């Protein structure tokens, strides 16, 4: 229906110069259409011209992207971590798809297929270890990216939506970690999911949520099916959607510089995002790729023991490192209703964190807001100290 | 064919119909230039259309979401409710150890403490991990968050809110 779309520049109908008077006396006014291809005189290859004729509308978009610049200053180093998170996510998509070729998400087959994959399939061990390590590094990069954006106050006006989409991406990343953890169907996975899905129960009405998460009252094969479908269908879909928004916003709004850097002349210059910054990003990605391979080969994760719903939880069980702080809170709060208070504190803290662009008014007026820097440091210190305490008690 | 325009009533279409193909959508009668055409658009009618489509859409959405929510809530499993059940031989539980058995819908730990058998729930009241019998300390302990219970199910220490049901 392009001929009825007044906005279509590539419409095939040529503009009619003369009014056409038909038999019925209906007047057809001249329709003014934009030149379907205003770039037709530009020098491009034959293939380029083919696309240009059809998609001339994207040329201004490409020109716009070419203009994007990244400020260079003392803290520019921290700009690379979002891109690294994206790189590890791409590794996850590729390795995840490879793992799915052999993995069977049922209680009877999950663990066996997981072992088969690692012991029989060529390079199966590598694919699984890369998936596991890349997941850890993706979470780590997302943490670093989030805290560096926080301390540089990049969330301030006009980038509030970037912070909000980023926060949701952070939650989705943790969701990936949590749902993927059960899939090997080994003992540690079983009890990690048992505890994780039990948590909503402490809140009123939580039993209903637990029932939905588990597909029943207990962690069973139904839970495995649910976690699998969420891990490989729902979360990737949501993540791609939000990631598109997040990346579109950074293209439109540009990279944020810390407050006052522009005014005090601390920005040493700007570099083009395409291709200069992207090329530097790619160096980081290559280092990241090397790091994954190194960790996968020299520090492979364990295969574990098949989950048995009638065996006691293994001694020294603990979640993945990125849940250690919350794990310790659940342990520490041993007074009556401790879990409920722990969940409440975590939810409140997360809510405050989420809405910080709207709470930090000073930053939005390009004024320094040391209170929020201190709040950020307290969050970071809480996470690091509690994580270290778990490390000190349980080891790696 | 999308109707671009500004026909106040469908009967105008009839007038158009004399030898004129309907693909002349977007034309305005009596020589009105297109730019002024919007003046005659009946916005009231258009918003009525939006209300109708929106209303029906909302009704369809609700009646679609309801079965979806019902679908993801798993059906309740039926358990037989026995008061007594032979779960295994006493010799299945070696001396000074504990073993977990399924009893109705519950998981139960049978503890053999120097030949004396006792049974209580095996599901930690804190966050639902399965406990084990710690023979060295002569107590039931949960590896997940460090809950400790006496053999009788009473709380010794830890984050757990309730005692165990003793069987």
């Amino acid at each position: 229906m392009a001929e009825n779309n007044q906005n279509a520049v590539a419409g095939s109908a040529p503009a009619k110069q003369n009014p056409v008077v038909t038999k019925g006396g209906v007047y057809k006014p001249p329709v003014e259409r934009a030149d379907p291809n205003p770039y037709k005189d530009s020098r491009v290859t034959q293939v380029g011209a083919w696309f240009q004729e059809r998609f001339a509308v994207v040329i201004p978009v490409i020109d716009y992207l070419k203009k994007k610049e990244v400020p260079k200053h003392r803290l520019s180093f921290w700009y690379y971590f979002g891109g690294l998170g994206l790189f590890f996510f791409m590794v996850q998509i590729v390795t995840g798809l490879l793992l799915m070729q052999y993995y069977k998400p049922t209680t009877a087959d999950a663990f066996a297929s997981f072992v088969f994959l690692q012991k029989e399939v060529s390079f199966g061990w590598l694919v699984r270890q890369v998936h596991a390590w890349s997941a850890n590094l993706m979470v780590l990069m997302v943490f670093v990216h989030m805290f560096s954006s926080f301390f540089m106050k990049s969330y301030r006006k006009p980038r509030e939506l970037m912070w909000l989409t980023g926060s949701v991406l952070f939650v989705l990343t943790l969701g990936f970690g949590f749902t993927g953890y059960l899939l090997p169907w080994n003992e540690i996975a079983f009890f990690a999911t048992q505890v994780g899905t039990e948590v909503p129960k402490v809140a009123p009405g939580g039993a209903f949520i637990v029932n939905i998460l588990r597909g029943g009252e207990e962690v069973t094969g139904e839970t495995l099916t649910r976690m699998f479908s969420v891990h490989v269908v729902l979360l990737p879909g949501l993540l791609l959607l939000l990631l598109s928004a997040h990346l579109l916003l950074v293209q439109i709004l540009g990279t944020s510089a810390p407050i006052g850097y522009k005014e005090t002349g601390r920005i040493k210059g700007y570099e083009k995002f395409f291709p200069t910054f992207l090329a530097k990003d790619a160096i980081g990605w290559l280092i990241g790729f090397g790091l994954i391979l190194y960790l996968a080969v020299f520090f492979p994760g364990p295969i574990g023991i098949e989950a048995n719903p009638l065996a006691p939880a293994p001694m020294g069980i603990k979640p993945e490192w990125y849940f250690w702080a919350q794990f310790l809170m659940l342990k520490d709060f041993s007074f009556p209703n401790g879990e409920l208070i722990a969940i409440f504190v975590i939810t409140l803290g997360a809510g405050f964190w989420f809405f910080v662009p709207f709470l930090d008014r000073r930053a939005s007026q390009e004024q320094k807001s040391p209170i929020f820097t201190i709040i950020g440091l307290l969050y970071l210190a809480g996470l690091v100290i509690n994580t270290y305490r778990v490390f000190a008690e349980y080891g790696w | 064919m999308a109707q671009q325009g500004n026909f106040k009533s469908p009967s105008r279409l009839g007038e158009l119909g004399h030898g004129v193909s309907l693909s002349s959508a977007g034309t305005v009668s009596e020589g009105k230039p297109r730019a002024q055409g919007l003046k005659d658009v009946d916005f009231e009618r258009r918003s009525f259309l939006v209300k109708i489509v929106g209303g029906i859409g909302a009704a369809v959405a609700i009646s679609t979401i309801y079965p979806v929510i019902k679908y993801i809530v798993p059906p309740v499993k039926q358990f037989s409710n026995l008061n007594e059940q032979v779960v295994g031989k006493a010799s299945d539980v070696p001396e000074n150890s504990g073993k977990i058995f399924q009893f109705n819908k519950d998981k139960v730990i049978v503890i053999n403490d120097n030949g004396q058998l006792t049974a209580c729930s095996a599901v930690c009241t804190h966050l639902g991990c399965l406990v084990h019998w710690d023979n060295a300390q002569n107590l039931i302990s949960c590896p997940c968050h460090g809950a400790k219970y006496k053999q009788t199910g009473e709380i010794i220490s830890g984050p757990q809110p309730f005692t165990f049901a003793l069987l």
Side-chain angles (χ1 to χ4, degrees):
Chain A
M1 292 302 224
E3 62 269 24
N4 283 330
N5 181 357
Q6 288 183 64
N7 298 319
V9 284
S12 51
K16 287 199 174 89
Q17 295 305 320
N18 302 316
V20 181
V21 181
T22 58
K23 219 166 42 176
V26 179
Y27 166 72
K28 265 193 175 178
V31 180
E32 275 176 36
R33 285 182 188 275
D35 187 342
N37 181 8
Y39 305 94
K40 58 180 172 289
D41 297 325
S42 57
R43 274 196 300 166
V44 281
T45 60
Q46 217 171 355
V47 178
W50 191 90
F51 279 103
Q52 202 180 67
E53 203 178 335
R54 282 148 187 87
F55 300 108
V57 70
V58 301
I59 289 173
V61 177
I62 293 166
D63 286 342
Y64 183 80
L65 294 182
K66 279 182 190 163
K67 283 196 198 114
K68 181 174 154 56
E69 287 177 330
V70 180
K72 285 200 284 189
H73 52 77
R74 203 163 56 86
L75 299 172
S76 290
F77 172 71
W78 299 101
Y79 288 149
Y80 292 100
F81 290 91
L84 275 167
L86 174 65
F87 170 69
F88 291 130
F89 175 64
M90 294 190 287
V91 172
Q92 290 309 83
I93 292 198
V94 175
T95 51
L97 189 63
L98 291 173
L99 288 174
M100 275 175 72
Q101 307 310 310
Y102 290 99
Y103 178 73
K104 300 186 180 82
T106 61
T107 46
D109 292 327
F111 188 74
S113 67
F114 174 69
V115 173
F116 173 77
L117 177 90
Q118 290 189 82
K119 294 199 166 162
E120 310 279 333
V121 179
S122 305
F123 293 106
W125 62 274
L126 184 64
V127 175
R128 184 255 165 160
Q129 297 297 347
V130 165
H131 195 74
W133 273 113
S134 179
N136 277 297
L137 290 174
M138 178 180 161
V139 176
L140 185 66
M141 294 306 122
V142 169
F143 263 109
V144 173
H145 180 52
M146 183 174 78
F147 274 103
S148 63
S149 308
F150 186 92
F151 288 124
M152 290 198 271
K153 310 282 160 64
S154 308
Y155 53 74
R156 71 188 189 274
K157 188 185 169 189
R159 295 184 180 78
E160 299 93 336
L161 286 173
M162 284 176 71
W163 179 260
L164 297 186
T165 50
S167 302
V168 180
L169 285 168
F170 172 70
V171 173
L172 292 176
T173 305
L174 294 184
F176 267 114
F178 183 73
T179 52
Y181 207 58
L182 181 66
L183 305 186
W185 198 248
N186 53 24
E187 254 187 355
I188 192 157
F190 182 82
F191 283 103
T193 307
Q194 163 67 42
V195 172
T197 53
E198 183 91 4
V199 166
K201 238 183 212 175
V202 301
F208 177 73
I209 298 167
V210 173
N211 215 16
I212 291 176
L213 287 174
R214 288 185 184 162
E217 283 184 28
E218 292 177 44
V219 177
T220 57
E222 276 81 45
T223 320
L224 184 60
T225 310
R226 290 198 174 201
M227 293 294 162
F228 179 72
S229 67
V230 170
H231 189 77
V232 304
V233 179
L234 183 65
L235 289 176
L238 287 177
L239 193 131
L240 284 173
L241 202 66
L242 273 136
L243 188 64
S244 313
H246 197 68
L247 295 178
L248 185 69
L249 283 164
V250 75
Q251 290 301 330
I252 293 170
L253 297 168
T255 312
S256 162
I259 294 169
Y261 267 45
K262 210 172 182 179
E263 291 74 11
T264 52
R266 276 185 280 180
I267 292 177
K268 290 176 211 138
Y270 292 85
E271 56 193 2
K272 292 264 181 223
F273 186 86
F274 298 104
T276 316
F277 190 82
L278 197 63
K280 288 184 176 180
D281 249 350
I283 295 172
W285 296 5
L286 285 171
I287 295 170
F289 193 56
L291 185 64
I292 302 175
L293 292 177
Y294 172 78
L295 291 167
V297 171
F298 290 102
F299 300 96
I303 289 177
I305 306 159
E306 183 165 12
N308 173 4
L310 287 177
M315 293 305 291
I317 187 173
K318 62 175 188 314
E320 283 288 89
W321 61 271
Y322 40 86
F323 291 124
W324 282 1
Q326 296 94 308
F327 163 69
L328 201 65
M329 267 183 102
L330 287 173
K331 253 185 92 152
D332 278 349
F333 285 32
S334 55
F335 42 83
N337 281 327
E339 307 88 50
L340 188 57
I341 294 164
I343 306 303
F344 185 71
V345 168
I346 292 168
T347 311
L348 208 67
F352 180 85
W353 196 248
F354 185 74
F355 289 109
V356 91
F358 307 103
L359 300 170
D360 188 358
R361 293 291 174 86
R362 287 179 60 86
S364 289
Q365 290 158 11
E366 297 291 316
Q367 291 170 322
K368 295 213 172 214
S369 56
I371 295 167
F372 281 84
T373 306
I374 292 166
I375 290 171
L377 286 171
L378 287 175
Y379 270 78
L380 188 61
L383 283 176
V384 170
I385 291 169
N386 272 346
T387 305
Y388 178 74
R389 280 176 60 206
V390 174
F391 175 71
E393 196 179 331
Y394 289 84
W396 192 243
Chain B
M1 231 4 110
Q3 185 186 325
Q4 286 278 310
N6 34 16
F7 300 104
K8 273 189 176 173
S9 70
S11 62
R12 288 268 178 101
L13 279 171
E15 284 176 44
L16 267 177
H18 304 295
V20 181
S21 83
L22 285 177
S23 65
S24 59
T27 53
V28 184
S29 61
E30 295 164 22
K32 271 189 225 157
R34 174 179 276 226
Q36 288 172 18
L38 271 179
K39 279 182 187 165
D40 292 336
V41 174
D42 192 344
F43 285 104
E44 214 168 276
R45 179 173 291 200
R46 192 168 284 184
S47 74
F48 175 72
L49 180 73
V50 169
K51 275 178 196 157
I52 286 287
V53 173
I56 293 172
V60 170
I62 289 166
S63 47
T64 309
I65 288 167
Y66 177 76
V68 169
I69 290 173
K70 280 296 206 188
Y71 179 87
I72 63 164
V73 175
V76 179
K77 276 190 184 154
Q78 295 299 320
F79 279 91
S80 55
N81 230 343
L82 303 166
N83 287 327
E84 261 178 56
Q85 190 185 353
V86 177
V87 288
K89 289 182 197 158
S91 58
D92 284 352
V93 190
E95 194 140 312
N96 298 325
S97 72
K99 194 170 192 289
I100 298 167
F101 295 96
Q102 188 83 34
F103 177 70
N104 294 337
K105 57 184 282 191
D106 301 312
K107 285 173 181 131
V108 172
I109 183 164
V110 176
I111 298 158
N112 183 340
D113 187 19
N114 294 320
Q116 199 193 349
L117 291 175
T118 51
C120 72
S121 166
V123 183
C124 182
T125 57
H126 180 227
L127 289 169
C129 283
L130 295 183
V131 295
H132 75 123
W133 173 247
D134 185 343
N135 195 55
Q137 298 187 61
N138 215 40
L139 49 79
I140 300 167
S141 87
C142 177
C144 287
H145 304 93
K148 287 185 168 61
Y149 304 85
K150 286 183 195 164
Q151 196 176 342
T152 51
E154 288 153 46
I155 295 168
I156 298 171
S157 66
Q160 72 277 32
F162 308 114
T163 58
F164 276 145
L166 194 67
L167 300 169

